Amino acid sequence: MARYNSKTSEQKWQARWEAAQAFLAKPDPARKKYYVLEMFPYPSGRIHMGHVRNYTMGDIVARYKRARGYNVLHPMGWDAFGMPAENAARERGVHPAIWTHENIATMRGQLKAMGLSIDWTRELATCDAQYYGHEQRMFLDFLEQGLVYRKESSVNWDPVDDTVLANEQVIDGRGWRSGALVEQRMLTQWFFKITAYADDLLKSLDTLERWPEKVRLMQSNWIGRSEGMRIRFTISGPQAKSLPGGGELEVYTTRHDTIFGMSFCAISADHPIALELAAKNPAIADFCKQCRDIGGTAEAVERAEKLGFDTGLKVQHPFISGRETPIYIANFVLMGYGTGAIFGCPAHDQRDLDFARKYGLPVLPVVAPADAEAPDIVNDAYTDHLNGRLINSEFLNGMSVAEAKAEISKRLQTANAGEPAITYRLRDWGVSRQRYWGCPIPVIHCDTCGVVPVPKDQLPVTLPHDVSFEAPGNPLSHHPTWKHTPCPKCAKPAVRETDTFDTFVDSSWYFARFCSPHADTPINRQEVDYWMPVDQYIGGVEHAILHLLYSRFYTRAMQQTGYARDSEPFSGLFTQGMVTHETYKDANGAWLFPEQVVKQPGGAVHKDTGAQVLVGKIESMSKSKRNVVDPEHIIAQYGADTARWFVVSDTPPERDIEWTESGVEGAWRFTQRVWRLVDESLDKLPPPKQPERLKEFAAPGISSVLVDVPEITDEAVLALRRATHRTIRLITEDIEQFLFNRAVARIYELANSISAFTQLSANPAGADFALREALETMVILAAPFMPHLAEECWTALGHTTMLVHIGWPVENPAVSKEDTMSITIQVNGKRRGELVMERGDWSEEYYREQAMALDAVIRHLEGKQPKKIVVVPMRIVNVVV
RNA sequence: GCCCGCUUGGCGGAAUCGGUAGACGCAAGGGACUUAAAAUCCCUCGGUCGUAAGGCUGUGCCGGUUCGAGUCCGGCAGCGGGCACCA
């Protein structure tokens, strides 16, 4: 018996699939489409286990859907712009383009070795002008539609990467990539008007039924809708008229019910009034500067005291004649949210209370708990807005918070002093990056004409190849000639925009480009309309907000500019867990690679020195901790099928999976076992039926892809057939629901049943047909997971049509139907026995009689009469005494 | 601080409709085959009492609903994730 040789076999089948163009996707309106997409990789150098897991899952779905008769689109490309290429250029003197394309070549080879069912003719890289030129064109269309604007604003500046970051890219006050503390700078930047869709992006989350609840919730929190009011207070004094706002201060609040508890107003250090005052008063200017310098890190915010500066200005209370409250500039008020101004009600807001205590401002409770006259406020504000009742509030007294809000709203609107307002936490997406390796923003700055879009017939604006990375900052702006160009309008000398797009722009529409990757327009509507939306998108949960929210926005912008029919890009989303591994350190505390470590009964030792190794926590694979396993080595040693099988075994796909050597060996043993089961049975099998090549959807009814089995009476043979057909049903359900670990277990079970069957000494009539049916089923069902081995087995079983062209088997319910059922018998809810009964529609009386006749039941009744006997047909009988 | 999720053998995990807890795999132990090793095959494998038959106990902790709870409800603890001076 020959052992299965994964290396030769995998290469052979990959070549045959390619020769047959088995995965080429063509639009066909007569067929139902299915678009499977995994998040495309950044070409960092080599693929890692996370890629293997991600792309294996996508490939399982793609191969399964293809076998079910869907017209499947399963493409692959490269998220090829970004900082690491520039860092490589700085550190090693390699040009970003060369570095990137070399990495792509390596990683493409590695992905191909995985045997993925990808249509490689659609491959794209975002760093190619054939891609980003279309992006520039869409940007100009967005600009025309008012979806893009340019403004000076305070931005997050990453001092290590020397560039601006979007809010979404700042985590705990640090750059998401560099980890450097982010600074605030004033810069003129391009923004995508994502807030224009805030409400739609939020509401439409409800329609994304095949998205994880967790991701929808995260996006919902990120968008952060709140309902409140804008209220305009009149600023006292004759000089007020000359202030920005013309004598009025507009605040945003969600607790207008507490207006009788107002004891101060506060404005941001960046509020127009604050800026105006600062211009005339150095003390105020100093204070404002101090506020801005605190920074936005979590720790800074935690530590920072509430600081305020009394402007001397006062506002008039809208409902209490003659009552005035001071306006402070305060460090905890953000210009970017609401109106950049608030009214403070210390009794019912913790920040306001901290502030009031510090500056000795009045604390007047205006909402009381249901069970008390007034809330007891010492250090904690009373913030319950559901159960409270209004007090100390004149016409509001006795009302609930909701009633009071409605009343205040009505009165303020009548007085034209305010109106309901909805505010979002979401900010517009700043897309300008001061970097070379990105898509140039296609505009020209002219002293005479201002900002002039590059005419569309002059696109693409390509990156210059000859750049220097010697100096810090943006190589594009240092380039001697590139930015100089005549103004398209007036032909006078002008300069190009040297900022490039955030790379998240590139990844916000690649899924659409895949539908018509060679079109000379950004997309071909007919093809996009056929393939989009992506039916199943798969990737890491770390993109729950950034990439997934940007893509949802961008698709809406494409819809508005006529590039797309739909507003949602991904109708199904699955977020897979990470691949983890134990960490190892030597006696000096240096991290060790897993291949340097040998596990022994007494512990782990160094492979070469024999020195003791400290086994640390199980953590997600990372180069810095060296707890990485190179997929290429695994594929070379065990084969792609083994690696694929392992990464979906045992652990549910959404959870983190631990990579273990023994686990991989287990997976490898199973691939050999499948081959052996087939190989050792070959001489016992009847000839195969050659099923037709897959053309249509698998028709419901009796499977046409499996061998036809004659009428059988032997119980062991029937049991094997039952197991076979039951497994078809279960695995189909499992794959549909992304329960790959369970599907793997079902295949093990079927293999166990086949093993046991082949070891029977008797050889009843029909056994050979049932065995062929079981083996063929196992092979077809395992094919999405282990496609090369499955092809090899399929051929060995005598088939001449490749398995990629064979449809999915269909369960025959007449075969899988069980004749008997086992009924659990309980006494007082405890299991005391089991009844094996013929399947049927028995009366409750019959169940009772059968149960009461059991020895175990009689024994546990101890002579007593049952009070009650609960019968659940087909399942359980519970005798209660 | 606010929001969300999770907690089952030595380990990954099954049991998703309230109805046999521990499928399947890994690890471990025992055995067969072999000159030996590898490979393969067979057996055991939550805890506990018992020679056995068979009990008792057991799904983070406390309580509740129910004939019956890993599953539902209330409370608590631990772990993980998201957001965070958002008015």
Side-chain angles (χ1 to χ4, degrees):
Chain A
M1 179 207 93
R3 241 162 114 114
Y4 174 68
N5 184 324
S6 59
K7 196 161 214 158
T8 54
S9 188
E10 291 181 356
Q11 283 170 4
K12 175 176 77 186
W13 289 110
Q14 283 161 22
R16 291 204 188 164
W17 295 330
E18 189 165 347
Q21 298 192 317
F23 311 122
L24 198 67
K26 285 192 208 120
D28 177 356
R31 293 177 67 200
K32 207 164 174 191
K33 65 93 185 180
Y34 198 88
Y35 186 177
V36 193
L37 185 66
E38 302 93 61
M39 291 179 185
F40 67 163
Y42 177 78
S44 57
R46 306 174 65 75
I47 66 167
H48 54 68
M49 277 302 166
H51 292 130
V52 173
R53 196 169 188 219
N54 194 180
Y55 301 134
T56 297
M57 289 180 194
D59 203 46
I60 289 166
V61 175
R63 285 178 181 269
Y64 162 76
K65 287 289 178 182
R66 182 171 283 114
R68 289 293 300 266
Y70 286 89
N71 190 19
V72 170
L73 173 59
H74 187 210
M76 179 60 71
W78 310 96
D79 188 14
F81 272 137
M83 284 295 301
E86 281 189 55
N87 293 340
R90 282 212 168 74
E91 288 156 20
R92 278 174 268 166
V94 201
H95 192 277
I98 291 166
W99 184 84
T100 302
H101 280 109
E102 280 176 359
N103 289 346
I104 288 174
T106 305
M107 291 173 73
R108 184 193 298 118
Q110 293 180 316
L111 290 182
K112 285 194 170 180
M114 281 182 64
L116 303 173
S117 62
I118 281 168
D119 179 357
W120 285 101
T121 67
R122 293 173 184 262
E123 182 182 354
L124 59 82
T126 57
C127 65
D128 292 338
Q130 298 96 297
Y131 182 84
Y132 70 71
H134 299 298
E135 191 168 302
Q136 292 169 338
R137 189 195 163 91
M138 280 191 284
F139 170 82
L140 297 178
D141 290 331
F142 292 176
L143 188 60
E144 283 169 21
Q145 288 280 314
L147 291 164
V148 174
Y149 65 95
R150 192 162 177 269
K151 74 161 186 207
E152 183 179 39
S153 68
S154 172
V155 295
N156 306 300
W157 181 264
D158 185 321
V160 168
D161 282 352
D162 275 332
T163 188
V164 160
L165 297 176
N167 289 322
E168 288 82 353
Q169 292 164 339
V170 180
I171 295 149
D172 276 346
R174 291 171 183 276
W176 71 299
R177 195 173 269 291
S178 72
L181 277 175
V182 166
E183 301 163 3
Q184 297 300 305
R185 282 199 188 178
M186 291 303 285
L187 276 178
T188 302
Q189 299 281 291
W190 286 99
F191 287 86
F192 279 12
K193 223 184 219 169
I194 190 167
T195 55
Y197 294 100
D199 200 47
D200 187 42
L201 288 166
L202 182 67
K203 282 201 185 119
S204 303
L205 286 171
D206 289 341
T207 67
L208 300 174
E209 285 161 20
R210 293 193 304 113
W211 278 44
E213 191 56 45
K214 183 171 80 164
V215 175
R216 288 193 273 170
L217 190 71
M218 282 164 70
Q219 291 213 353
S220 169
N221 289 339
W222 187 264
I223 296 167
R225 181 189 150 100
S226 83
E227 287 185 27
M229 284 196 83
R230 283 169 184 265
I231 302 176
R232 285 177 297 279
F233 295 115
T234 304
I235 303 174
S236 305
Q239 81 280 29
K241 282 262 183 278
S242 61
L243 288 168
E248 285 187 337
L249 177 67
E250 189 176 49
V251 304
Y252 175 73
T253 181
T254 56
R255 291 298 304 271
H256 30 292
D257 55 301
T258 65
I259 195 147
F260 284 94
M262 167 165 94
S263 56
F264 65 94
C265 281
I267 61 175
S268 162
D270 294 313
H271 192 276
I273 292 178
L275 297 177
E276 172 93 4
L277 297 174
K280 292 174 194 153
N281 182 336
I284 293 180
D286 273 359
F287 179 78
C288 291
K289 186 176 181 305
Q290 196 189 331
C291 290
R292 290 185 199 107
D293 286 349
I294 285 175
T297 69
E299 308 95 271
V301 164
E302 200 71 29
R303 269 185 284 105
E305 231 182 328
K306 303 279 176 288
L307 293 178
F309 191 103
D310 190 344
T311 60
L313 297 170
K314 292 191 175 356
V315 297
Q316 292 165 19
H317 194 285
F319 299 109
I320 307 173
S321 176
R323 166 79 63 85
E324 293 191 324
T325 53
I327 302 178
Y328 281 77
I329 298 169
N331 63 347
F332 65 94
V333 181
L334 307 173
M335 192 56 220
Y337 188 77
T339 60
I342 61 161
F343 80 75
C345 176
H348 306 291
D349 182 285
Q350 192 58 46
R351 289 157 304 173
D352 296 349
L353 183 63
D354 295 345
F355 191 80
R357 291 283 188 241
K358 177 155 171 109
Y359 293 100
L361 296 161
V363 178
L364 175 70
V366 290
V367 183
D371 55 0
E373 289 262 311
D376 184 24
I377 291 160
V378 185
N379 292 318
D380 296 316
Y382 177 70
T383 55
D384 188 342
H385 58 278
L386 296 174
N387 303 310
R389 293 263 148 200
L390 272 287
I391 56 170
N392 299 328
S393 298
E394 302 189 7
F395 54 85
L396 299 176
N397 286 340
M399 290 186 183
S400 70
V401 167
E403 287 161 352
K405 280 183 181 177
E407 182 63 26
I408 292 292
S409 178
K410 199 179 85 191
R411 290 189 185 224
L412 286 174
Q413 285 181 79
T414 306
N416 192 29
E419 55 279 318
I422 290 160
T423 297
Y424 297 92
R425 213 191 71 106
L426 184 72
R427 312 287 164 76
D428 279 336
W429 175 19
V431 295
S432 301
R433 294 293 178 275
Q434 292 67 44
R435 299 266 40 103
Y436 164 70
W437 196 233
C439 171
I441 299 176
V443 297
I444 291 162
H445 300 278
C446 171
D447 286 341
T448 314
C449 312
V451 176
V452 182
V454 173
K456 286 177 186 165
D457 59 11
Q458 288 174 29
L459 294 180
V461 177
T462 55
L463 288 169
H465 189 81
D466 55 331
V467 279
S468 159
F469 294 92
E470 303 284 299
N474 183 356
L476 277 185
S477 57
H478 301 151
H479 192 276
T481 56
W482 184 78
K483 67 180 169 189
H484 301 290
T485 184
C487 171
K489 264 194 191 159
C490 68
K492 282 190 215 147
V495 289
R496 293 187 185 284
E497 171 84 46
T498 57
D499 285 355
T500 52
F501 283 135
D502 180 0
T503 58
F504 279 98
V505 178
D506 312 330
S507 55
S508 290
W509 70 286
Y510 76 106
F511 41 86
R513 181 69 185 169
F514 272 141
C515 300
S516 52
H518 310 297
D520 51 16
T521 48
I523 53 100
N524 171 322
R525 259 305 284 274
Q526 216 179 346
E527 301 201 20
V528 168
D529 286 354
Y530 178 74
W531 292 114
M532 287 294 288
V534 175
D535 296 278
Q536 187 63 62
Y537 198 36
I538 309 168
V541 73
E542 66 274 17
H543 293 108
I545 294 168
L546 291 164
H547 164 58
L548 291 167
L549 189 61
Y550 292 149
S551 297
R552 294 182 64 221
F553 156 72
Y554 203 97
T555 304
R556 282 167 170 74
M558 285 174 72
Q559 185 187 42
Q560 190 170 327
T561 45
Y563 289 111
R565 176 193 55 206
D566 308 311
S567 55
E568 288 293 344
F570 315 119
S571 59
L573 171 71
F574 188 88
T575 53
Q576 105 267 2
M578 290 180 299
V579 183
T580 66
H581 197 286
E582 275 183 336
T583 49
Y584 307 106
K585 272 184 186 177
D586 66 15
N588 303 322
W591 299 105
L592 297 172
F593 288 108
E595 65 253 34
Q596 295 174 286
V597 175
V598 182
K599 294 269 207 128
Q600 292 181 343
V605 296
H606 195 287
K607 182 169 144 253
D608 303 325
T609 65
Q612 274 288 317
V613 166
L614 297 161
V615 179
K617 276 201 304 187
I618 297 161
E619 295 190 65
S620 64
M621 287 188 177
S622 80
K623 279 180 197 161
S624 62
K625 292 189 177 144
R626 300 201 164 178
N627 61 337
V628 287
V629 174
D630 190 329
E632 198 170 298
H633 298 167
I634 297 298
I635 290 172
Q637 192 176 351
Y638 299 102
D641 286 337
T642 295
R644 294 168 58 119
W645 186 251
F646 176 79
V647 292
V648 293
S649 295
D650 300 339
T651 302
E654 68 277 13
R655 290 196 211 167
D656 289 354
I657 189 170
E658 189 195 349
W659 184 276
T660 61
E661 187 68 17
S662 56
V664 183
E665 278 166 9
W668 183 77
R669 278 200 298 275
F670 186 67
T671 58
Q672 292 297 334
R673 182 161 172 234
V674 169
W675 173 249
R676 216 165 41 243
L677 277 175
V678 171
D679 190 55
E680 287 174 355
S681 304
L682 291 177
D683 53 359
K684 298 182 220 161
L685 299 178
K689 169 182 128 177
Q690 298 291 350
E692 257 192 77
R693 209 179 133 122
L694 176 68
K695 289 190 205 92
E696 295 291 325
F697 301 99
I702 309 307
S703 158
S704 61
V705 302
L706 299 172
V707 68
D708 299 316
V709 183
E711 201 67 26
I712 283 164
T713 53
D714 181 81
E715 186 42 42
V717 180
L718 289 171
L720 180 66
R721 295 205 67 202
R722 268 201 300 277
T724 300
H725 282 264
R726 202 176 91 94
T727 304
I728 294 172
R729 179 180 72 239
L730 295 174
I731 292 191
T732 304
E733 289 168 2
D734 290 341
I735 295 180
E736 291 281 355
Q737 296 173 74
F738 260 78
L739 299 170
F740 303 134
N741 57 317
R742 212 162 67 171
V744 163
R746 311 281 189 216
I747 291 173
Y748 274 113
E749 280 175 326
L750 182 58
N752 289 346
S753 301
I754 295 172
S755 270
F757 186 79
T758 57
Q759 280 163 38
L760 291 176
S761 46
N763 186 23
D768 51 347
F769 281 93
L771 181 59
R772 172 171 278 281
E773 181 186 49
L775 288 168
E776 289 186 347
T777 300
M778 176 179 71
V779 165
I780 300 174
L781 297 181
F785 303 83
M786 307 191 286
H788 314 86
L789 174 66
E791 289 282 6
E792 198 68 44
C793 291
W794 188 247
T795 302
L797 285 164
H799 290 282
T800 51
T801 305
M802 277 200 292
L803 195 46
V804 283
H805 293 130
I806 298 297
W808 196 248
V810 177
E811 176 195 18
N812 181 345
V815 174
S816 54
K817 184 175 66 79
E818 302 275 349
D819 306 327
T820 59
M821 54 187 181
S822 73
I823 308 297
T824 296
I825 310 301
Q826 298 180 333
V827 176
N828 285 332
K830 283 194 178 130
R831 183 177 189 271
R832 296 301 178 186
E834 186 183 65
L835 264 180
V836 177
M837 288 166 60
E838 202 178 311
R839 241 165 219 275
D841 198 9
W842 305 107
S843 67
E844 288 202 9
E845 194 49 44
Y846 182 74
Y847 279 101
R848 276 192 205 108
E849 280 167 19
Q850 294 288 308
M852 290 302 288
L854 278 183
D855 281 350
V857 173
I858 293 162
R859 206 169 46 233
H860 284 94
L861 283 178
E862 295 167 336
K864 283 177 261 178
Q865 276 303 306
K867 276 194 219 133
K868 183 172 165 188
I869 301 177
V870 180
V871 175
V872 182
M874 326 270 292
R875 284 192 180 275
I876 210 161
V877 178
N878 188 8
V879 182
V880 186
V881 245

